[in-house]
Structure formats: C-alpha cells, structure tokens
Amino acid sequence: MRSFNFFGRLCTAFHDYPSLSKIIVVSTLSSGSLIAYSEANTNNGNRGRVAHADAVASKKKKVVVLGTGWAAMTFLKNLNNCIYEVEVVSPRNFFLFTPLLPSVTCGKVEARSIVEPIRNIIRKKNIDVRYREAECTKIDPANNKIYCRATANTNSKRREEFAIDYDYLIIAVGAQVNTFNTPGVEGNCHFLKEIDDAQKIRRNVIDAFEKASLPNLTEEERKKILHFVVVGGGPTGVEFAAELHDFVNEDVVKLYPMVQNFVKITVLEATDHILNMFDKRITKFAEHKFGRDNIEVKLGSMVTKVTENEICTKAKGSDKTTSMPYGMVLWSTGIGPRPIVKDFMKQIGQGNRRALATDEWLRVEGVGNVYALGDCATINQRKVMEDITEIFKKADADNSGTLTLKEFQDISNDICERYPQMQLYLKSKPVRNIFDRPSQVKGKASKESIELRIEEFKSALSEVDTQLKNLPATAQVANQQGAYLAKCFNRMEECEINPEGPTRIRGTGRHRFRPFRYRHLGQFAPLGGEQTAAQLPGDWVSIGHSSQWLWYSIYASKQVSWRTRALVVSDWIRRFIFGRDTSGI
C-alpha cells in the first residue's frame, strides 16, 4: 500500500510540475526494485501557475453561443483556444441528430439513441465552457448583452430572468416551421423539427392503428383515421412517407391485420415534382416508386386550409378548392426565423428578410462582434459587379487605365477566393477567353497583348453574378459553418498579425481569414423498401439497396459520440430481427 501511495505521489508531482521536476527512474528487472529521485521547486511552481492563470483569465474573451444544434455543437467541439470563456445558452440541453428524426416516428430508431447531452460534449473540453438551460428572449447589440429566461421548473411562480454580457455572440438557434399563415395549420398539423415532435407523431401513428382496430367503427371511419397526409415533398416529407409505408408493410400486416387495407398515404406538393432539389433521375425514380407502393402523390397541390377533420387544397392554375378527410397531417414545407431572430433582425434593419444576413465570414451585417450560422442565417455574398471598378483598379498594377491578361491573372486567385461566383464562372469561361475581344484583335495579335478598358471589362463579366446560389438549410451546411468559425476563433490572434485571407478589394492589406466556402459532400433520400437515392459530388447518382447500406454507414459514422453510434446501430439490428417497436412510448 505504501509503495502504491509513493508511486501515486510521484506521478502527481511529475504531472503538476513537468517543467520544474527532475525525475530519475531506475528499474532492475532481476530484483524488481525501483529507485526514484525527484527534485521540484514547489513554491516557485505554484507561484508561476497562479500568475499564469491570472494573466490568462484577465485576457479571456467572453463568447456566448445560442443554441445546441449542428452549428453550435460543431463549433464547441472544434474550439480549443484557451483565451475564450464560453457560455452556451439553450432551452434544449442536448444535441439532436436531426437526419434520423423520420426514423423515430415509426419505431425504427429510439429517441434516446439520437440525442447526446450537451454537458457530455463540453466536459471533454480543455477550455472554460458552461451551459445554461434557458431561452434567450432579447439580444441587445448596443450594450453587448443578451437577456434570458430559465426554462427549468422552479418553485417560484415566475421564471428566473437574467442577463449575460458578451464580447462575441454566436447565434445558432436554428429555425422553426414555416406555416405561410395557412389557417388551421398550427392547431391541427404535426411538425418534425424536434425530438418531441417525432415522439408525438409516433404515439399518434400507433394510436391511429389501435383506434381503427376497435369493433364499433365503420369502414369510412377506419379509412379516415388511417389516412396519413404529408404536406411537402422535400426530403423530410418523402422520408416520413417511406418510413410509414415500410411500417405498414413490414409490421402492421402482422400486428393489425384487420386494418391494413384501410391505410392510405398521400403526399401533397405545391411544385411540379417531389425532391425537386435532387437530380431529375432521383425525382423520377422516387415518383415512380411511390406510385408502385400506392403512395398517392398530388403535384401542384397547394393547401389552403386545415380543419379538425378535413384538409382543403387548390390545384395549380385553378381556383377550385377540394377537401378530403384525414387522420393525421405532417406539415413539412419549409422553415422561417424564430421570434428571437425576428426581433433582432428588426433592431439591425433586416426586418424584411427571411433569415439573418451575414457576410462571407459569417458575421452579421452591421454588427461586427455577432456571428450567425446554421438555419437561422444566410450568407449575403457580395456581387462582383458591385465592386467591378475597384477590382479593375486593383488589377491595373501600372495604373495605365487598361488591363492586360497577365495583370488579371496575377490577382485572379484572390478574386476567386473573395467571390466564389467568379471561380464558377471561370470554369465555363477561362480567363484567356475573357480577353478574347474581337474589336481588339488585329492580325496576329496575341491575347497577352490585348488590353481591356473598364467598359469592356464590365461587359466581359456582366453575367458572372448569375452563378450566385443560396446555401441550402441542411445539417451539412451548419456543420461546416461551425467547424469553420471555430477555426477562425482558434487563430484569431495569429491572423490579426499575419492575415491569411484574400487581398482587400476596397482598401489595403488582406482579410484576416479566408471566406467560408461550402463543400457539398452529397445528399441522401431514403425511399423505403431498403432503397435509398444518393446524389454525390461529380454528378454521381446511385439508387437502390447499395445506396441504403452507404446511408447506414454514413449516418452511423456521423454520430456525435460512440454512445449514440452504438445505440443507433443496435436499433437497426433490433429492427431487422424483431421488427419495429410499437409501444408508442
């Protein structure tokens, strides 16, 4: 016991005072003896550590993060600079793996398997991070404060309210479902944004089959109860319809054989196709497969009103309204800003936008120390034509008033980095072709000798901004934005001294950081029957069972912890062996 205590103290001394300790360890295998010598200046070590801690604490910047979704979680996991004191504020004390929410609705995956407590994530950090379970009610950018209200139940009649100061504020609160002010949607439809939504849908699905199995119902009543309507033909709506179809064909036939023939699934889509953000090959296959599976797809069908018993629709190009009875409606048509974001947008003059506008470095426009990322924000990419005169002057190195091919090539990398639409434009029209001006070419003159005036330069790039596209509101985008912003914060001090961004078009010097660039890694659309459509970079499309196994692999690997990874995989295995859980809890 004494030897163990001695060895423990020795390890502690070495760990606490690595720079001031001299340790010599000699081991003799034949006798099993161990001799150790340690020399440590304890007092000096303690004074040095305390002084260092005080110095670091005095320099720490306060970073407040609103939200615990994809963007916030990735930012927290990648932030490793000790100069920050981080405070996370969110009414949800866990991270939710949202791509698997449709799988929860029909018992393919358990709710607990796709959530990870946020405290499990931050406790592994070697920086100062604290979590507050509260809801932000107001952002005060003028005084660098946020006002919060505790969400936990307390004995007091009134919830506790408090304020938090910040040096940097990161808004990553996500978005809420957009109902487009359609009457009756709020009170009669289900949404699928949170874990509570998925659990509620699961209970309603099971309850519908139990209720339809009662003996005192007519066929019409059973048909109404078991009519499931999905409003929105995007990835979430399509995946839920596919999951529900698989549940009916794989489990209901065994558990509720008397009512399986009354089940009807209808997908209502206002545009001309479902999955219209995917490749046309995927869209066509999905529509044909749903037709074979007896999932009714009504295209060009806009919902005008939802009552307690009926849903009213209007066909595209027609004023005639039709209605049909339903048992359950899932509303999955798009997203809109949360109330806290709406209020903040009004304060900073962005009240007419659908999401917070940020620059290419994810800073909220007009507020230098506030960042926004994920579904609550959109990057307002600056247009080339807005800066075309400054670009011309910056490229015109000899101030001749004309631009040569070489002068433009010397600055083209910085321009492409600053304006991503320029990079896309030059893929279809190389730099040398921009200088292919017939009016300038005489005889055998080479393009290197051609000089463009400002008017000709503007004309050559007049269509460059048509390449601009808004980023989709997906977990993949939020994940990459969180990682990017954490990298910027980790290198903040270093890049203040040695900027690594592109040349400033307006002004001198370089930007501190490179602008955010989204790298699309592909997208999946599960279509049921163990078939998935995959659209990967390079216009590579795969549809079928092989893509389903790729989907399993990717989604398992993207889990935030080994705990959730093990739970999700075990849920999939359990479903293969025993079927879906139909307990409704």
Side-chain angles (χ1 to χ4, degrees), residues 18 25 38 92 101 106 116 142 164 346 389 401:
V25 178
S38 174
R92 191 179 74 184
L101 274 177
C106 294
E116 180 72 10
I164 300 176
K346 290 179 181 178
T389 302

Side-chain angles (χ1 to χ4, degrees), residues 211-227:
K211 186 176 179 181
S213 300
L214 296 176
N216 58 339
L217 298 178
T218 65
E219 288 191 2
E220 290 301 319
E221 289 174 325
R222 289 190 172 94
K223 287 180 180 179
K224 175 185 177 299
I225 294 169
L226 296 178
H227 185 197

Side-chain angles (χ1 to χ4, degrees), residues 123-147:
R123 73 181 177 87
K124 302 174 184 177
K125 304 295 296 180
N126 58 356
I127 60 176
D128 186 8
V129 185
R130 293 185 295 274
Y131 167 74
R132 312 295 185 197
E133 187 175 301
E135 181 181 6
C136 179
T137 57
K138 183 181 179 181
I139 299 172
D140 184 3
N143 298 304
N144 289 347
K145 286 179 179 289
I146 64 167
Y147 296 89

Side-chain angles (χ1 to χ4, degrees), residues 334-366:
I335 58 174
R338 294 187 183 276
I340 180 64
V341 175
K342 288 181 181 178
D343 179 68
F344 180 57
M345 290 167 66
K346 290 179 181 178
Q347 292 185 60
I348 60 175
Q350 295 188 17
N352 59 343
R353 301 187 62 92
R354 295 183 178 180
L356 270 171
T358 72
D359 62 16
E360 297 87 340
W361 293 270
L362 308 183
R363 295 174 302 193
V364 174
E365 291 186 343

Side-chain angles (χ1 to χ4, degrees), residues 37-174:
Y37 168 73
S38 174
E39 178 184 339
N41 189 334
T42 306
N43 293 328
N44 289 339
N46 283 336
R47 284 197 296 268
R49 293 178 67 196
V50 171
H52 176 71
D54 291 341
V56 171
S58 64
K59 296 179 181 178
K60 280 189 176 182
K61 297 286 188 179
K62 181 72 168 292
V63 180
V64 174
V65 181
L66 299 183
T68 52
W70 278 95
M73 182 275 302
T74 311
F75 174 81
L76 293 171
K77 289 194 72 174
N78 287 275
L79 187 68
N80 54 30
N81 195 328
C82 294
I83 69 168
Y84 301 112
E85 175 188 346
V86 184
E87 197 148 347
V88 184
V89 178
S90 174
R92 191 179 74 184
N93 67 353
F94 55 85
F95 164 74
L96 172 64
F97 192 86
T98 50
L100 286 179
L101 274 177
S103 296
V104 176
T105 60
C106 294
K108 186 175 181 179
V109 171
E110 293 299 321
R112 65 187 179 123
S113 301
I114 62 172
V115 297
E116 180 72 10
I118 198 67
R119 293 186 185 275
N120 279 358
I121 297 174
I122 64 177
R123 73 181 177 87
K124 302 174 184 177
K125 304 295 296 180
N126 58 356
I127 60 176
D128 186 8
V129 185
R130 293 185 295 274
Y131 167 74
R132 312 295 185 197
E133 187 175 301
E135 181 181 6
C136 179
T137 57
K138 183 181 179 181
I139 299 172
D140 184 3
N143 298 304
N144 289 347
K145 286 179 179 289
I146 64 167
Y147 296 89
C148 307
R149 182 187 302 118
T151 56
N153 292 328
T154 60
N155 293 330
S156 61
K157 295 181 180 180
R158 174 171 177 271
R159 290 181 181 177
E160 182 182 355
E161 296 183 353
F162 55 92
I164 300 176
D165 297 318
Y166 65 82
D167 293 304
Y168 298 103
L169 176 64
I170 299 173
I171 304 174
V173 297

Side-chain angles (χ1 to χ4, degrees), residues 179-185 231 268 270 301-307 310-316 318-324 331:
T179 64
F180 301 98
N181 296 321
T182 306
V185 171
V231 181
L268 303 177
S301 186
M302 183 179 297
V303 177
T304 58
K305 184 173 66 173
V306 182
T307 66
E310 292 184 328
I311 182 168
C312 302
T313 61
K314 183 172 64 175
K316 187 177 181 180
S318 173
D319 294 331
K320 184 180 179 181
T321 301
T322 59
S323 61
M324 55 183 171
W331 186 273

Side-chain angles (χ1 to χ4, degrees), residues 28 36 49 55 111 152 184 201 225 230 239 273 279 284 291 298 348 351 364 385 446 448 457 485 508 544 550:
T28 306
R49 293 178 67 196
I201 291 172
I225 294 169
V230 179
E239 186 173 352
H273 296 284
D279 187 275
K284 185 177 180 180
K298 291 187 175 182
I348 60 175
V364 174
M385 297 309 294
S446 65
E448 284 76 3
F457 187 63
L485 192 59
T508 59
L550 179 63

